[in-house]
Amino acid sequence: MKKVFIDGGAGTTGLRIKERLSNRTDIELIILSEDKRKDTTARREAINGADIAFLCLPDAAAIEAVSLIENPETVVIDASTAHRTNPDWTYGFPELSKEHEEKIKKSKRIANPGCHASGFISLVYPLVEKGIISKDILLSCTSLTGYSGGGKKMIADYESMERDWLLEAPRQYGLTQSHKHLPEMKAISGIENDPVFLPIVAAFYSGMEVTVPLFKSQLNAGFSAEDIKNAYKEKYSGPIVKYVEDFDEDGFCSANRLEMKDSMEISVSGNEDRILLIARYDNLGKGASGAAIECMNLVLGADLTEGLDI
């Protein structure tokens, strides 16, 4: 039986991981008492005593946690932003390629993808890989998310009985175009320029819908929307990430359709001239906790979907 420690287990991501692991019989959770949860000595002992340590911490705290590791066999799955573009770490999105999957299986340092970045990369990576779009392409991306992605304070703000009226309408953020997910969105997808990124938070708990629009003129010569669909069909046919032919729900497309699930759906809408690439998933599922558990399953040699709700 493998020992697992969640450092930062009281946060939103950590709590979801703990919930998903609660019925597993192949692992033993190392749990610190409330008074030891932030104690460095206790955390050091727990991390080094674990076969797998999940870091659900702010960036600085995640870097500190890694510095506490002395056990060369401890596998770290870091849900923070700190290591996602670090070449010494493995990016935890196995569906991108067989090479990504094999690297995760063997890695001791795995960076869990960001929630917004997961959708963007899943849409753009296959098109760069197939030569459908050029690496120097200029892209934009809109991402609609539930408020749980903002952590405990934002959850409390949205769920307060005296909620500020400003929270009633969707709110765009990242207005300075310096969102923390941009470096991985560019680096992992293989493009050379940061996209114009429009994240929007709305008054629903969880769920995410990421859209990347394309003009046909942005595709390389000889390619069409049908080629994009075929690339996705070929890439995403697994149990967790799947191509879906049509997202249309009476003319709408709901961002929380996969709320509380750990799966992701990919689709293409629009027309031949103006193409919409869309990814739907839960920001706490495939966008955070579900992705982390999926990586753990690969490391352990367990079924990919073990403990997940897909």
Side-chain angles (χ1 to χ4, degrees):
M1 184 175 293
K2 299 295 184 179
K3 294 185 177 181
V4 174
F5 175 58
I6 306 170
D7 198 2
T12 309
T13 299
L15 288 170
R16 177 71 74 87
I17 291 175
K18 185 177 180 181
E19 174 191 314
R20 291 289 193 259
L21 298 180
S22 61
N23 294 321
R24 296 278 291 256
T25 58
D26 57 334
I27 65 165
E28 175 188 345
L29 276 176
I30 300 172
I31 300 176
L32 299 180
S33 60
E34 184 61 28
D35 62 315
K36 295 290 186 181
R37 187 167 58 83
K38 296 185 179 181
D39 181 83
T40 301
T41 300
R43 289 171 55 229
R44 183 195 302 271
E45 183 177 341
I47 291 172
N48 286 287
D51 295 290
I52 295 177
F54 291 101
L55 306 183
C56 304
L57 303 163
D59 288 6
I63 292 170
E64 178 201 32
V66 173
S67 74
L68 301 177
I69 299 174
E70 300 163 346
N71 182 353
E73 298 305 314
T74 297
V75 175
V76 179
I77 301 175
D78 181 14
S80 82
T81 312
H83 301 103
R84 291 175 185 161
T85 59
N86 187 327
D88 295 328
W89 286 64
T90 299
Y91 195 72
F93 202 120
E95 288 85 3
L96 294 182
S97 71
K98 193 64 179 177
E99 289 72 25
H100 280 84
E101 180 180 340
E102 291 303 316
K103 196 172 180 182
I104 292 168
K105 289 178 181 179
K106 301 172 184 176
S107 182
K108 293 289 193 294
R109 298 290 182 269
I110 301 167
N112 209 50
C115 55
H116 297 290
S118 294
F120 180 83
I121 291 165
S122 68
L123 295 170
V124 175
Y125 181 96
L127 308 192
V128 175
E129 180 185 42
K130 291 284 189 181
I132 296 173
I133 58 175
S134 300
K135 292 183 178 182
D136 62 355
I137 192 171
L138 298 177
L139 295 173
S140 66
C141 172
T142 301
S143 184
L144 179 59
T145 183
Y147 59 78
S148 59
K152 285 187 172 181
K153 183 182 183 305
M154 184 174 284
I155 292 171
D157 288 345
Y158 270 93
E159 296 184 351
S160 170
M161 295 297 292
E162 300 176 357
R163 185 166 74 184
D164 191 313
W165 67 270
L166 289 172
L167 303 185
E168 298 300 327
R171 296 187 296 161
Q172 184 175 327
Y173 60 104
L175 301 180
T176 63
Q177 288 299 301
S178 56
H179 193 281
K180 64 181 182 179
H181 289 182
L182 282 168
E184 66 180 293
M185 290 166 73
K186 180 175 74 172
I188 306 302
S189 64
I191 56 175
E192 296 174 353
N193 304 293
D194 287 339
V196 177
F197 181 42
L198 294 80
I200 299 169
V201 61
F204 61 98
Y205 182 74
S206 70
M208 184 163 273
E209 181 177 284
V210 176
T211 302
V212 176
L214 288 173
F215 286 105
K216 188 178 189 301
S217 59
Q218 291 178 284
L219 307 185
N220 287 329
F223 289 104
S224 67
E226 197 62 32
D227 294 305
I228 295 174
K229 294 177 182 179
N230 289 334
Y232 290 158
K233 289 176 185 177
E234 179 183 334
K235 176 73 68 178
Y236 301 127
S237 59
I240 295 176
V241 183
K242 297 179 180 179
Y243 173 77
V244 176
E245 192 64 42
D246 189 3
F247 275 175
D248 190 300
E249 299 153 354
D250 294 325
F252 296 90
C253 180
S254 176
N256 69 342
R257 184 172 181 85
L258 295 180
E259 184 177 17
M260 304 304 289
K261 299 292 185 180
D262 298 305
S263 52
M264 175 185 280
E265 295 178 344
I266 304 290
S267 195
V268 179
S269 294
N271 53 52
E272 275 297 326
D273 294 319
R274 299 182 307 283
I275 306 162
L276 298 178
L277 316 178
I278 307 174
R280 289 199 300 192
Y281 50 105
D282 190 313
N283 55 288
L284 295 180
K286 183 57 173 169
S289 306
I293 294 172
E294 180 184 355
C295 288
M296 183 194 77
N297 287 338
L298 280 172
V299 171
L300 295 180
D303 185 282
L304 196 64
T305 63
E306 183 69 31
L308 298 180
D309 186 351
I310 58 171

